[in-house]
């Protein structure tokens, strides 16, 4: 996100979007988040970030499915939102995107430190990889991802200005309405085999992103 | 009766005079805007050096980060992205910081602490194992240990001072366990308070930026902004920490120079006194600055 060439820089936003709490208009019961907000809902970390237009995040079925969330957006320059974990790691990330339209990507996204790494595992859509280096492929959870690596020099990061790498496993072929799984350990092991080492995990989230004046919606559940 | 009273008065005046002289001498020893740091072993239990047999000698350290006004007075131009006299200078590389130290020393009649050779590449400047040579300058910089000029703190000196020295309360951040008391970092450095997980776009949109030096609470030694605001260059190469040594100077070689304290852009953990960061010596960013140190005179 930082002027990153690798994956859309917006994705970063997404993620985790740390929302501007002060500017966030979030209901006291955390059942509706307008434009920007972050927090915990039914045990999951959630985040919504948007610029331009409008975006609203709700948790319509979270009482039954704790990881459920829905986002609607209109005329946004960028919107990124989703649910996940404050600390990522080797786990089986289950998801079901019940409906989605007008989005650009839906990815598992996170950071590690020591070494500092920003990573993406893209399940829907595609990220820009024009300046990234193709490293090979990996098969996980029944499909094949293309692996890219990109170096960021003196760019903003979770520890401030830093030189670090971005890792991307790109697939993008997931289906609406079907359960999906991301066995993150397969990706991390694959990256390690390529010399793309990971560090200590910070947050990890299934992030939906849309931009360029888009209007649309997503209703998804993670577990 | 008068003689004893007169004698007592003389003794009292003499004692007061002596005390005043001592106090004046002590105060005048400490340069303006510096703090005297009494040496010793590490008392802060969160420090990487705690219980490692490392001893630090007395030194003086800047009460504040080097400001843009201080930088301009010495260097003549201001590289900072966010402008303001009382803001810390940023966008300065490690080499820039070294040059500032020597130029300020010369300007104030002190002996420069560093020998800077821009023509010979330093063989101790190693390629980053992940990225190769990020530093294409690789100046050879050595020290004059006995010089009285300005210099960067070593990593150990920085951590000792940030941790409160002999007055340490073993805080995680420099001066508190509550980061908001003492540090400007990504959550509190912009228009609104940010929450959730770190993400650059909201930070940028929130106009996060450095703050005037000394605008948070000081630590146990009276030092400001050791945690947060801008990250501070140290002398050391990034490398293994040393143990059982007095005044460690860090690894003899490396691929980056150590920074400490975290800055306005980073997450809370990077502002902890014990957090170790590094950046290529020619690297710079709007959250990267420094403070200076003087040997005890």
């Amino acid at each position: 996100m930082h002027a990153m060439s690798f994956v859309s820089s917006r994705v970063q936003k997404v993620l985790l979007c740390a929302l501007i709490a002060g500017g966030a208009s979030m209901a006291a019961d955390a059942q509706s988040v307008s434009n920007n907000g972050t927090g915990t809902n039914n045990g999951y970390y959630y985040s919504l970030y948007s610029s331009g237009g409008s975006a609203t995040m709700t948790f319509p079925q979270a009482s039954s499915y704790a990881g459920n969330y829905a986002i609607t957006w209109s005329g946004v320059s960028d919107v990124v939102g989703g649910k996940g974990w404050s600390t990522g790691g080797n786990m089986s990330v289950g998801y079901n995107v019940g409906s989605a339209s007008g989005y650009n990507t839906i990815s598992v996204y996170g950071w590690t430190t020591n070494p500092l790494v920003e990573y993406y595992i893209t399940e829907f859509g595609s990220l820009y990889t024009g300046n990234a280096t193709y490293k090979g492929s990996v098969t996980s959870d029944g499909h094949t991802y293309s692996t890219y690596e990109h170096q960021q020099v003196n760019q903003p990061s979770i520890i401030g200005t830093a030189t670090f790498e971005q890792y991307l496993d790109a697939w993008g072929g997931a289906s609406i309405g079907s359960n999906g799984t991301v066995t993150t350990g397969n990706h991390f092991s694959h990256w390690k085999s390529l010399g793309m080492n990971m560090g200590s995990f910070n947050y990890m989230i299934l992030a939906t992103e849309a931009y360029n004046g888009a209007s649309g919606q997503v209703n998804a559940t993670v577990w | 009766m008068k003689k004893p009273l007169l004698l007592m008065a003389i003794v009292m005046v003499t004692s007061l005079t002596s005390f005043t002289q001592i106090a004046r001498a002590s105060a005048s020893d400490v340069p303006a805007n510096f703090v005297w740091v009494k040496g010793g072993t590490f008392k802060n239990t969160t420090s990487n050096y705690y219980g490692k047999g490392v001893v630090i000698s007395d030194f003086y350290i800047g009460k504040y980060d080097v400001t843009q006004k201080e930088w301009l007075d010495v260097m003549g131009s201001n590289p900072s992205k966010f402008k303001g006299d009382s803001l810390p200078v940023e966008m300065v590389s490690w080499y820039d910081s070294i040059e500032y130290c020597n130029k300020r020393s010369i300007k104030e009649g002190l002996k420069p602490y560093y020998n800077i050779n821009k023509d010979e590449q330093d063989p101790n400047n190693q390629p980053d194992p992940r990225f190769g040579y990020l530093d294409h300058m690789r100046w050879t910089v050595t020290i004059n240990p006995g010089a009285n000029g300005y210099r960067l703190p070593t990593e150990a000196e920085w951590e000792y001072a940030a941790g409160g020295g002999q007055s340490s309360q073993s805080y995680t951040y420099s001066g508190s366990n509550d980061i908001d008391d003492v540090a400007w970092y990504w959550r509190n450095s912009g228009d609104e308070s940010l929450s959730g997980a770190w993400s650059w776009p909201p930070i940028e949109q929130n106009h996060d930026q450095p703050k005037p030096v000394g605008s948070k609470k000081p630590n146990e030694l009276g030092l400001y902004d050791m945690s947060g605001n801008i990250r501070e260059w140290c002398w050391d190469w990034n490398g293994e920490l040393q143990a059982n040594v007095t005044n460690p100077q860090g690894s003899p070689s490396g691929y980056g120079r150590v920074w400490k304290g975290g800055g306005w852009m980073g997450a809370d953990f990077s502002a902890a006194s014990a957090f170790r960061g590094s950046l290529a010596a020619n690297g710079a960013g709007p959250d990267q600055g420094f403070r200076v140190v003087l040997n005890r005179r």
Side-chain angles (χ1 to χ4, degrees):
Chain A
M1 289 281 178
H2 342 265
M4 19 187 109
S5 18
F6 179 42
V7 200
S8 97
S9 34
R10 293 145 181 179
V11 175
Q12 201 174 36
K13 305 173 170 184
V14 178
L15 330 295
L16 336 202
C17 298
L19 305 189
I20 298 177
S25 43
M26 182 174 66
D29 61 4
Q31 293 303 296
S32 177
V33 183
S34 297
N35 298 325
N36 291 289
T38 189
T40 301
N41 177 271
N42 285 279
Y44 286 86
Y45 172 81
Y46 71 81
S47 180
L48 174 68
Y49 165 81
S50 69
S51 63
S54 63
T56 300
M57 186 176 197
T58 58
F59 309 97
Q61 297 171 284
S63 58
S64 300
Y65 307 100
N68 176 254
Y69 66 93
I71 306 171
T72 60
W73 60 90
S74 177
V76 294
S77 298
D78 192 18
V79 59
V80 186
K83 259 183 169 178
W85 300 266
S86 57
T87 302
N90 293 344
M91 64 176 75
S92 178
V93 175
Y95 67 83
N96 187 310
V97 178
S99 65
S101 61
Y103 66 91
N104 291 81
T105 59
I106 300 176
S107 307
V108 172
Y109 168 88
W111 284 90
T112 73
T113 55
N114 293 323
L116 188 62
V117 171
E118 183 181 30
Y119 62 90
Y120 305 77
I121 303 168
T122 301
E123 297 296 286
F124 294 81
S126 61
L127 293 167
Y128 176 69
T129 56
N131 291 331
T133 301
Y134 177 73
K135 302 290 287 188
S137 63
V138 62
T139 297
S140 178
D141 302 304
H143 33 267
T144 300
Y145 296 79
S146 296
T147 301
Y148 295 87
E149 182 178 25
H150 182 258
Q151 179 182 338
Q152 289 286 90
V153 178
N154 291 342
Q155 293 297 318
S157 82
I158 198 167
I159 62 168
T161 303
T163 296
F164 59 97
E165 285 183 305
Q166 298 171 311
Y167 302 161
L168 166 65
D169 271 354
W171 171 46
S175 299
I176 299 295
S178 298
N179 287 350
T181 301
V182 177
T183 305
T184 61
N186 292 343
H187 299 271
F188 302 155
S189 297
H190 169 62
W191 292 340
K192 185 176 182 180
S193 74
L194 295 170
M196 299 162 61
N197 295 319
M198 307 283 281
S200 301
F201 286 93
N202 207 271
Y203 63 80
M204 185 169 76
I205 190 172
L206 181 72
T208 299
E209 179 175 22
Y211 44 87
N212 290 342
S215 295
Q217 60 80 33
V218 63
N219 187 319
T221 301
V222 296
W223 61 88
Chain B
M1 289 297 290
K2 289 182 179 178
K3 284 184 179 177
L5 280 174
L6 178 61
L7 182 61
M8 189 179 299
I10 291 172
V11 169
M12 286 181 66
V13 168
T14 302
S15 299
L16 285 170
T17 301
S18 300
F19 177 80
T20 303
Q21 287 173 340
I22 291 170
R24 283 176 181 164
S26 178
S28 64
D29 265 357
V30 182
N33 288 329
F34 276 73
V35 168
W36 174 57
V37 180
K38 176 179 170 51
T41 56
F42 285 75
K43 302 297 184 189
N44 189 313
T45 57
T46 72
S47 171
N48 297 308
Y49 295 95
Y50 179 74
K52 299 292 176 59
V54 170
V55 179
I56 301 296
S57 298
D58 299 352
F59 63 102
Y60 300 109
I61 187 168
K63 188 182 295 186
Y64 310 106
D65 299 313
V66 171
T67 65
Q68 292 178 29
K69 182 176 189 311
E70 289 174 318
W71 178 275
L72 262 172
D73 288 346
V74 172
M75 305 298 278
S77 62
N78 184 0
S80 304
K81 177 178 180 180
F82 301 97
K83 298 292 196 294
D85 281 354
S86 63
L87 293 176
V89 68
E90 23 91 356
M91 292 300 295
V92 289
S93 70
W94 185 87
Y95 297 121
D96 295 331
S97 306
I98 292 293
E99 286 208 299
Y100 170 86
C101 288
N102 274 9
K103 289 187 177 182
R104 182 170 170 184
S105 297
I106 292 168
K107 184 177 181 180
E108 297 182 14
L110 302 175
K111 182 178 180 182
Y113 191 79
Y114 298 110
N115 305 305
I116 303 173
N117 185 337
K118 301 181 181 179
D119 298 323
E120 287 190 17
Q121 294 199 327
D122 186 352
N124 295 318
N125 192 331
Q126 301 291 308
D128 186 305
R130 293 200 297 165
F131 306 120
Y133 278 116
L134 295 170
D135 180 359
H136 299 293
M137 297 170 68
R138 303 206 288 280
W139 296 353
T140 298
V141 180
T142 57
I143 64 174
N144 297 309
N148 60 356
Y150 293 95
R151 62 179 178 84
L152 296 178
T154 63
E155 178 181 5
E157 286 173 333
W158 189 98
E159 197 166 316
Y160 182 82
Q166 294 300 298
S167 302
S168 178
Q169 297 298 307
S170 290
Y171 295 130
T172 297
Y173 307 103
S174 183
S176 180
N177 287 324
D178 183 344
I179 189 171
D180 288 298
D181 285 347
V182 293
W184 296 109
Y185 67 120
W186 76 279
R187 292 191 191 280
N188 64 11
S189 295
D191 298 338
E192 307 283 352
S193 209
L194 296 177
S195 61
W198 187 96
S199 181
W200 175 243
I203 293 170
E204 189 174 38
Q205 180 175 292
N206 195 42
H207 305 117
D208 279 27
Q209 57 191 281
K211 302 296 183 184
V213 300
S215 49
K216 285 281 189 179
K217 287 170 55 178
N219 77 349
E220 298 96 313
L221 298 177
L223 302 174
Y224 294 85
D225 301 310
M226 293 292 277
S227 285
N229 212 0
I230 49 98
R231 310 184 309 190
E232 301 179 13
W233 286 115
C234 293
W235 160 256
D236 309 42
W237 292 108
N238 61 338
E240 294 292 320
L241 288 174
Q242 295 171 284
N244 300 312
V245 63
T246 297
N247 299 325
Q249 298 291 307
S251 175
S253 64
Y255 55 87
R257 295 286 182 170
V258 169
W259 58 257
K260 298 285 288 183
W264 60 268
M265 187 191 299
D268 51 0
F269 65 84
S270 65
S273 300
F275 184 82
R276 307 181 73 212
S278 75
L279 191 66
N282 65 334
D287 58 341
Q288 185 67 53
F290 66 107
R291 78 177 64 214
V292 291
V293 160
L294 288 165
N295 289 334
R296 187 170 188 193
R297 296 169 179 175

